[in-house]
Amino acid sequence: MTKSALQIARAAYQPKLPQALRGTVKAVMGAPTQSVADQDAIQKLFPNTYGMPLIKFETASENARYQSFNVGVILSGGQAPGGHNVISGLFDGIKKLNKDCKLYGFILGPGGLVDHNYMELTADIVDEYRNTGGFDIIGSGRTKLETVDQFEKGYEILKELGIKALVIIGGDDSNTNACVLAEYYAAKKCGVQVIGCPKTIDGDLKNEMIETSFGFDTACKVYSEVIGNIQRDCNSARKYWHFIKLMGRSASHIALECALQVQPNICIISEEVEAKDMSLDDIVTYIAQIVAARAAQGNNFGTVLIPEGLIEFIPAMKRLIAELNDFLAANAEEFSHIKKSHQRDYIISKLSKENATVYASLPEGVARQLSLDRDPHGNVQVSLIETEKLLSEMVATKLASWKEEGKFVGKFAAQHHFFGYEGRCAAPSNYDADYCYSLGYAASALIANGKTGYMSSVRNTTAPADQWIAGGVPITMMMNMERRHGEMKPVIQKALVKLDGAPFKAFAAKRDTWAMVTDYVYPGPIQYFGPTEVCDQPTKTLQLEHAQ
Ligand code: FBP
């Protein structure tokens, strides 16, 4: 493998660990837990893994001896910076317990477990990937682990390889599946533990005990760097409005964090759009008003940040998508036989009147995307909807009519960008490198303590790493019942942007000023070496949440 100078230097970085994980570790049990909602239903579905206590690791005075054991690991879903460090932390953690422990990686996500596609991760291999971005050490995939047949197929290979614990590194859906698998193996007394790790650049797998998902820090810093560069270009040429869509399939955490970092002229927050019951036209009018007001001051340029999940948060669209999801789940077979050119009319004829009207009003491309295949978890693939173009076209149309009425005196030319893949595999920032290594290491301690159905957790991460608090959180604690594929299912509750939370409030307090006064911030690239205030800052989101 040919390596860049940075890769070579970065390989030598030793991620920091919380104090409690550095020596011999003991697990201290906290109070029993309950699910965030729907307690009776969740308890019934998870009789063996419900209500378990929180776990905190502390330094033990005595050295414990461990028999050697084998562990399996899966990378699941979208890539996020730091995945390789979770694996290296897990590897170092189990090797410290007993040097004969082995780590197996299942190839290309949960599908590797079902298809018995695996490799042993030896020290040589793990060393190649320390502190690097990407999931390429074993690859990732979005196969949903949900059927008894899959669980049994998985068990066959786990038994064959003598694996006593499986670590699933994934987002809310993958950790939901990890919990279902943990419950299944516990109920059948298979002797296989399942541990989850909180991954997703989207930042929406967080709660009281999981303060952030890994990858969010690095991805937001990469996007903020390039948005900053665009803003500087924009402020130099002074002739374009840049419409920038940012990944985040559902929640707007990425857009909000980037807005806090770069101070754009406009940032739309989906959760606010929903709370204010805004229509697509309301959003377009809001943007057009700012464009017109800046034009009146002679500023025919600016930046607009748009969260990827916006469409699903516009209440009228949300109702439409919910009906479409149920309809397509129930009538998939019939729909697959409808000619492409007739699909739009077919859907319109089947929907309720209100939803049919909204569907019929959508531009062709957006309507088509909404009726295409869902991802394996039943989600509309919003990253394929070109919201940035949809909005800028609608703004242009509105401004043209305002021009005729004399309400707009400027020029409007737009550029479009979509940032997502640019950040998902970046080399992890110091924060993510340390956080991920600690998560992997904490997972090894959960395994050593015989735990199953837990998510590895590391808290207090705005403090220096030695003061971080490592432990485990029962996954059932994060669950509620939601409608998926037309049925009520137990799932980890997604953390959306809280409108009464400190990050949103800090943004809302400034946005009117940022709209009119060009006060862009240019964060520059992630720094891996240098003064701590440049290299080790956590996200603004985390800093504001902790200062609350
Ligand atoms: P995860 O939640 O699986 O981590 O994925 C996050 C994400 O990057 C979203 O922001 C985006 O909508 C989606 O993955 C795109 O996934 P894909 O590249 O598989 O279409």
Side-chain angles (χ1 to χ4, degrees), residues 76-80 135 140-142 170-174 199-204 214 223 246-250 254 308-309 375 377 380-384 418 420-421 424 494:
S76 180
Q79 286 68 254
F135 278 5
S140 184
R142 289 196 185 277
D172 51 345
D173 287 330
S174 307
K199 170 238 67 170
T200 175
I201 59 161
D202 293 2
D204 55 8
F214 78 76
Y223 305 143
L246 290 158
M247 257 192 186
R249 197 180 54 70
S250 188
I254 294 180
E308 180 185 42
D375 75 5
H377 298 275
V380 175
Q381 300 191 43
V382 283
S383 61
L384 302 177
F418 169 36
Y421 298 101
R424 291 204 314 188
K494 227 182 233 314

Side-chain angles (χ1 to χ4, degrees), residues 299-320:
N299 294 324
N300 290 301
F301 66 94
T303 47
V304 187
L305 305 190
I306 302 151
E308 180 185 42
L310 178 62
I311 288 288
E312 276 189 289
F313 280 78
I314 299 170
M317 297 291 290
K318 193 175 183 168
R319 287 191 290 273
L320 165 65

